[in-house]
Amino acid sequence: MAMKIMEKIRNVFHCEAERILYVCESQSLRNFIRKELLLGNCLTAGKMNISIDLDTNYAELVLNVGRVTLGENNRKKMKDRQLSKQQNENISRAVCALLNSGGGVIKAEVENEDYSYKKDGIGLDLENSFSDMLPFVPNFLDFMQNGNYFHIFVKSWSLETSSLQIATLSSNLYKRDVTSVKVMNASAALEFLKDKEKTGGRAYLRPKLPTTRVCVDVQEESNMEALAADFFNRTELNYKEKLTFTESTHVEIKNFSTTKLLQRIREILPQYVSAFANTDGGYLFVGLNEDKEIIGFKSENSCLTKLEEVTKNSIGKLPVHHFCMEKGTIDYLCKFLRVYDKGSLCGYVYALRVERSCCAVFAKKPDSWHVKDNRVEPLTEKEWIQFMVDSERVYKELPSPAGTSSPVSQSCPLREYINFKIQPRSYHLPGLSEKITCTPETLCRNLFSQHEGLEQLICEEMGSVTKGSLIFSRSWSLDLGLQENNKVLCDALLISQDKPPVLYTFHMVQDEEFKGYSTQTAQTLKQKLAKIGGYTEKVCVMTKIFYLSPEGKTSCQYDLNLQVIYPESYYRTTAQTVKDLEEALSNILPKENQIFLFVCLFILFFHCARPVCFFLR
Ligand SMILES: [Zn+2]
């Protein structure tokens, strides 16, 4: 029944449920949709169990990871190891998704009773997952227990700290490190990919050795490789015969019991094939004991066919990203070498040769996440590589705002603001002219003359501010590419040295809720500051909603500061913060304004450059 109603709503509004939520301000209707939506989210997320928390007061992207056991001892004592692993995976993915989507908050319900963050900590396995992902955990994450809930505040990923564009849990690109197989960390993967991109996949051709190379008594890796090649080409092997070579960059030897053979080969193939293909090619032999003696495994023909099939399917499924034009498939050959004991067939050795690949071979998709269309989703290998390699292409894709399409901005306070920076024209509040600048001047004059009480209200609000700017707009929401709410009189953004940015919303409609509107605007502003403006420090945007009565009376309807608590570091603001925030704001300007700014800078440069030219002459 409920699903049918949802379907109807979707058809009437022609939009996703998430978007309906922010369109309707009626509490009961919102609650209904929210309930259905969360249900839908859980169904689609399946095992992952991460949903977007739409019930939050925070003007943030909040990811709900469900119930989690916390504390070092409690996590150690967990009997269900699978559950513990899954909880860790969920939280890591949520952290990764928020890092890549402009920051946000993770909300977990604490599973174990009597948990105290102060006394019990988080849990070593979780800490390790965080430090594997981040260069320095405290720079990115803050933890806070609030009753039975645990919050992780995640700052946006920043290019400066790591020289990587995005956060990654695992590249799933493997390499061969002499006799072991290792997954490349994100930095190593970046080097590897850049090299492949630079050479366009041509670097896989091996150099020809000079024929006049002197042969003395030296042993090197190429000898082992040549011996392995000879071994691979043999048609008959003798039981208990000893190998003449050992494991190396090009050779891996395994001995699996016959009962688990198929399963084990299926498990190891993606990593080994990825490693050999990404390094220098090589051989995998299965059916030799620890003393490098040929044992072989007993098998029927049907089993060999099955093994061959598993090999083919497993290698066929590996994601490959090509930088070359040829886009060849993974070059391999799978064989079964017959083992004879005193003339009679007693078993087989599984032999796989993998050639070095022209480009990048993954064991599976890279493990990197983001929030897209209101869902936590993995990046495809193509997206991941683009963001990793393309230094020009900063990861700017924003989680699509729940407030529908992006209309072309009509009024733009930013433009006025930048104009003001170059050619100061601001409104000064009586008694506060030294502390506060209100821009743009014309809009402020209009608003203050039309709405009795607004100027007085602003003066009172700014009383405690030491120094700052208040940037007015008819609709900050519209300026950020969201929908306008025509019942809103105006919004104003305060950037000051004393506290986090505050987004004020003023309206003249009694008995109506504007919380959804102002929360969505503040959340989008924060994300754009990080993803487009490049401001990736810890920051929160507070919201405050005021009702202006026609008689000139004013009353505060909502103050986010009284509803939520942020970690201490989110409240720290300095003169530098103000400067950086202003710069970030100028970066989220629409194009035409940037051109304006560029022209101004150019003129300035030209004036400075002229005397220099003259001097050089
Ligand atoms: Zn290629």
Side-chain angles (χ1 to χ4, degrees), residues 200-202 204 320-328 357-360:
R202 284 184 304 275
Y204 75 108
V320 182
H321 184 88
H322 284 285
F323 295 95
C324 69
M325 299 301 283
E326 293 80 11
K327 300 187 194 298
S357 166
C358 49
C359 298

Side-chain angles (χ1 to χ4, degrees), residues 35 76 144 244 304 458 478 492:
K35 216 177 105 209
K76 255 197 210 154
M144 189 192 276
T244 53
L304 295 183
I458 298 285
L478 188 67

Side-chain angles (χ1 to χ4, degrees), residues 49-199:
N49 200 23
I50 304 175
S51 56
I52 293 180
D53 186 3
L54 299 163
D55 224 359
T56 182
N57 279 328
Y58 285 102
E60 300 272 355
L61 195 54
V62 178
L63 299 183
N64 195 335
V65 291
R67 292 167 74 84
V68 177
T69 302
L70 288 170
E72 172 59 10
N73 286 333
N74 292 313
R75 284 196 67 76
K76 255 197 210 154
K77 273 189 263 167
M78 275 178 88
K79 286 197 184 91
D80 190 344
R81 298 317 298 168
Q82 200 56 37
L83 180 68
S84 160
K85 208 178 137 205
Q86 200 187 324
Q87 288 178 352
N88 186 321
E89 202 168 71
N90 268 345
I91 295 177
S92 303
R93 285 176 176 178
V95 170
C96 181
L98 287 179
L99 284 168
N100 288 338
S101 307
V105 184
I106 291 169
K107 179 180 160 191
E109 197 181 336
V110 184
E111 173 93 52
N112 41 316
E113 279 172 23
D114 303 327
Y115 168 74
S116 156
Y117 173 44
K118 270 190 295 192
K119 282 193 245 157
D120 306 324
I122 307 165
L124 195 61
D125 68 313
L126 291 172
E127 285 169 36
N128 287 341
S129 296
F130 299 148
S131 58
D132 285 348
M133 187 181 353
L134 296 162
F136 188 54
V137 177
N139 278 358
F140 290 87
L141 306 183
D142 290 271
F143 307 98
M144 189 192 276
Q145 184 188 3
N146 204 338
N148 202 33
Y149 285 96
F150 192 76
H151 288 111
I152 305 174
F153 293 80
V154 184
K155 183 185 89 81
S156 176
W157 184 255
S158 49
L159 185 65
E160 292 77 23
T161 44
S162 61
S163 78
L164 292 161
Q165 308 256 15
I166 45 168
T168 303
L169 293 175
S170 172
S171 71
N172 284 326
L173 279 168
Y174 283 78
K175 63 176 171 170
R176 193 85 186 141
D177 263 357
V178 196
T179 61
S180 54
V181 156
K182 282 188 187 146
V183 67
M184 296 183 209
N185 67 24
S187 307
L190 178 63
E191 286 306 308
F192 170 78
L193 293 170
K194 272 188 172 167
D195 188 51
K196 290 280 177 193
E197 191 195 32
K198 205 167 78 189
T199 57

Side-chain angles (χ1 to χ4, degrees), residues 228-235 237 243 245 250-254 256 261 265 269 273 276 282-288 296-297 304 307-308 311-312 315 332-339 347-354:
D230 289 343
F231 184 75
F232 184 80
N233 288 327
R234 279 175 63 180
T235 46
L237 305 173
L243 279 191
F245 55 93
H250 304 96
V251 180
E252 177 73 32
I253 297 164
K254 293 270 180 218
F256 298 139
L261 187 70
I265 285 188
L269 268 189
V273 174
F276 280 131
Y283 299 87
L284 171 67
F285 298 114
V286 182
L288 295 106
F297 53 85
L304 295 183
L307 257 174
E308 212 171 349
T311 306
K312 189 180 165 201
I315 296 178
Y332 75 96
L333 184 60
C334 167
K335 282 168 102 179
F336 299 101
L337 310 178
R338 291 156 177 264
V339 183
Y348 298 91
V349 164
Y350 172 91
L352 178 73
R353 186 182 70 202
V354 181

Side-chain angles (χ1 to χ4, degrees), residues 367-400:
D367 201 359
S368 179
W369 300 74
H370 64 163
V371 180
K372 196 178 178 187
D373 301 328
N374 283 304
R375 290 212 164 78
V376 175
E377 286 192 352
L379 290 165
T380 63
E381 67 266 14
K382 197 176 165 206
E383 287 172 323
W384 183 76
I385 284 181
Q386 269 175 344
F387 292 126
M388 285 289 282
V389 175
D390 197 347
S391 55
E392 296 300 307
R393 180 180 168 147
V394 180
Y395 184 86
K396 276 179 181 171
E397 193 173 318
L398 286 169
S400 65

